[in-house]
Amino acid sequence: MKMYVKFDFNALCKKILDEKLKEHGLKYRLLNFGEVEFYETLTQEQHKTFKKNLEDYGIEIIENQRSTLVQKIKDIIVKLVFSEEVIPVKASIYIAEKLNHSYGYLSNLFSEVTHTSIENFIILQKIEHAKELIIGNKQSLTEIAHKLNYSSVAHLSTQFKNTTGITPSQFHRIVMKKRKAKSLMITSQMNYE
């Protein structure tokens, strides 16, 4: 039997972070996603142990302000792209308002730290979400394009192909072939037993 699951990475990370903080007996409160306020100062040993414990889950503590701001930009973009509702404003306006900085400043900082643009990061996140939605097989490409704020299916298809090397339709066919092959394999194994 096979089961397909969908992950809410924000909820997953928040739960792990909460559990690990409690496990270490630290007094804290979770602010925004990826932001923790401690009620007491951590010793160097507590900081080191906690940092190592989080790294086992792929969660890293950000040490400097520039990296922190870039991570906030990424978090906002992921939340924006993976949101169930369509945000009616441009991403640049949304990001600038959320972080209370000019978009030009945020864009330059993001490019300096990550060596890619905010726009490119948004496209990559949209394509990852489009893949998830295609794999979920519950929405048409038109619905997916609308959900991801593309002006048309053609625009989505162009960016999808530029990013992955194949069109969304080709990706869908590959997913369906793999499902069918696995289903046939499972059926034949069950019949063989």
Side-chain angles (χ1 to χ4, degrees):
M1 181 179 114
K2 182 177 266 190
M3 179 187 298
Y4 295 94
V5 295
K6 179 181 173 187
F7 295 99
D8 180 343
F9 290 105
N10 291 344
L12 185 63
C13 288
K14 190 174 182 178
K15 182 156 181 60
I16 290 170
L17 186 59
D18 193 43
E19 286 175 4
K20 293 301 160 191
L21 286 161
K22 286 177 182 170
E23 194 177 285
H24 284 268
L26 300 170
K27 294 182 177 144
Y28 66 94
R29 80 178 168 133
L30 296 175
L31 302 173
N32 298 318
F33 177 73
E35 203 170 347
V36 181
E37 179 181 26
F38 291 99
Y39 293 128
E40 51 195 30
T41 305
L42 272 63
T43 65
Q44 268 191 318
E45 189 57 36
Q46 283 177 313
H47 186 274
K48 184 179 172 186
T49 305
F50 185 60
K51 182 177 179 178
K52 172 67 179 118
N53 200 257
L54 289 179
E55 287 171 353
D56 292 341
Y57 292 91
I59 300 171
E60 120 185 40
I61 295 174
I62 301 169
E63 304 290 347
N64 71 49
Q65 286 298 107
R66 289 167 52 89
S67 295
T68 300
L69 192 51
V70 167
Q71 187 59 48
K72 285 181 180 182
I73 295 168
K74 288 180 178 181
D75 293 342
I76 288 169
I77 291 168
V78 168
K79 189 174 183 179
L80 179 68
V81 171
F82 286 82
S83 173
E84 290 299 318
E85 58 191 62
V86 177
I87 308 295
V89 297
K90 290 178 71 174
S92 57
I93 294 169
Y94 185 78
I95 294 166
E97 285 177 356
K98 283 286 188 186
L99 295 174
N100 204 23
H101 286 285
S102 76
Y103 183 74
Y105 169 75
L106 295 172
S107 180
N108 288 335
L109 174 67
F110 193 90
S111 296
E112 284 176 28
V113 173
T114 65
H115 306 291
T116 189
S117 67
I118 288 176
E119 292 76 13
N120 194 48
F121 186 77
I122 291 170
I123 291 167
L124 292 174
Q125 294 307 309
K126 283 183 168 185
I127 299 309
E128 284 307 308
H129 193 38
K131 286 180 191 176
E132 286 181 14
L133 294 171
I134 291 167
I135 289 169
N137 205 26
K138 291 184 177 141
Q139 297 176 335
S140 69
L141 283 180
T142 303
E143 292 168 322
I144 292 171
H146 175 72
K147 181 177 182 76
L148 296 175
N149 225 4
Y150 281 102
S151 56
S152 65
V153 172
H155 188 204
L156 166 62
S157 295
T158 300
Q159 283 193 345
F160 196 98
K161 185 166 184 172
N162 289 342
T163 303
T164 65
I166 58 175
T167 66
S169 299
Q170 290 169 322
F171 180 77
H172 184 259
R173 281 194 294 276
I174 291 168
V175 169
M176 291 297 111
K177 279 183 183 178
K178 284 184 177 183
R179 282 187 186 160
K180 186 176 180 182
K182 287 180 182 180
S183 177
L184 288 172
M185 188 173 80
I186 290 169
T187 304
S188 67
Q189 285 176 346
M190 290 171 67
N191 291 337
Y192 192 70
E193 294 172 352

